[in-house]
Amino acid sequence: ANKIVTGHNADDIAETVLLNVLRGDLPRLVRCTNATTGEDSALPRCKPFKYTYEKEIVMYAFHKRLDYFATECTYSPNAYRGYAREFIKEIELVRPIAILNSIISGDEMQLCSDSGQPMQVQGKCKQCGYITSQDVCKACVLLEGLNSGNAKHGLNRNASK
């Protein structure tokens, strides 16, 4: 394989755009709507369903009698993303095009190079070499915590620093 193809759909990407806006994470906001990421890495990722609504995927699977299952993480009911998902779904009821407009807005976001704010740069993890905006990727930080018996290691924002 020369690419990882993910199942991220328009609903997922709109949630991510909103989360990045709410967190003030401009570097990720600019990158989160890219259809392909990590093009310079050993295994780039792409999102072919970027503009496809989740309900369209579910209806297609039902119509074609495909096995389809949607699972949620047991921790997700209280996760920040859940609130973003609810908000997006409420807006979609009033204005159905809002999901696609969120993605288009994310696509069109440009940062001024003279903003004076330090930019995160997408680089490689010092331990495993995979894509990250930190010195060590979150997976390696979490593994380090598990291997050291400190399960909470890596769960806060500054753990990898």
Side-chain angles (χ1 to χ4, degrees):
N2 58 6
K3 281 189 182 168
I4 292 178
V5 178
T6 69
H8 293 105
N9 56 55
D11 302 61
D12 298 327
I13 296 170
E15 290 167 17
T16 304
V17 168
L18 178 60
L19 287 172
N20 286 327
V21 167
L22 294 174
R23 290 178 181 142
D25 195 341
L26 296 177
R28 281 199 176 110
L29 177 60
V30 172
R31 292 192 311 257
C32 75
T33 59
N34 291 345
T36 303
T37 56
E39 292 162 323
D40 296 333
S41 72
L43 201 53
R45 294 171 290 186
C46 65
K47 304 174 220 173
F49 301 123
K50 174 181 174 177
Y51 295 111
T52 309
Y53 290 100
E54 183 177 34
K55 60 186 164 197
E56 292 175 329
I57 295 168
V58 172
M59 289 182 347
Y60 179 83
F62 178 77
H63 178 71
K64 292 290 189 177
R65 293 186 165 88
L66 301 174
D67 289 334
Y68 177 85
F69 63 94
T71 58
E72 278 212 34
C73 173
T74 56
Y75 302 106
S76 70
N78 296 320
Y80 199 40
R81 181 173 287 274
Y83 297 113
R85 181 178 302 117
E86 286 178 27
F87 180 71
I88 296 246
K89 293 301 179 190
E90 287 176 18
I91 291 174
E92 185 186 21
L93 290 173
V94 177
R95 187 174 173 98
I97 196 76
I99 287 178
L100 291 182
N101 284 344
S102 298
I103 297 169
I104 292 166
S105 295
D107 283 338
E108 293 178 354
M109 291 277 176
Q110 296 293 323
L111 293 176
C112 297
S113 59
D114 59 341
S115 69
Q117 291 208 336
M119 292 285 295
Q120 280 182 330
V121 178
Q122 193 168 333
K124 292 186 178 187
C125 174
K126 290 181 178 179
Q127 292 182 11
C128 71
Y130 199 69
I131 304 166
T132 184
S133 57
Q134 307 296 320
D135 290 335
V136 179
C137 73
K138 197 62 157 179
C140 287
V141 170
L142 292 170
L143 277 174
E144 181 182 311
L146 290 171
N147 290 334
S148 69
N150 182 3
K152 291 188 177 186
H153 181 73
L155 294 181
N156 66 17
R157 240 176 134 73
N158 299 320
S160 61
K161 294 180 179 175

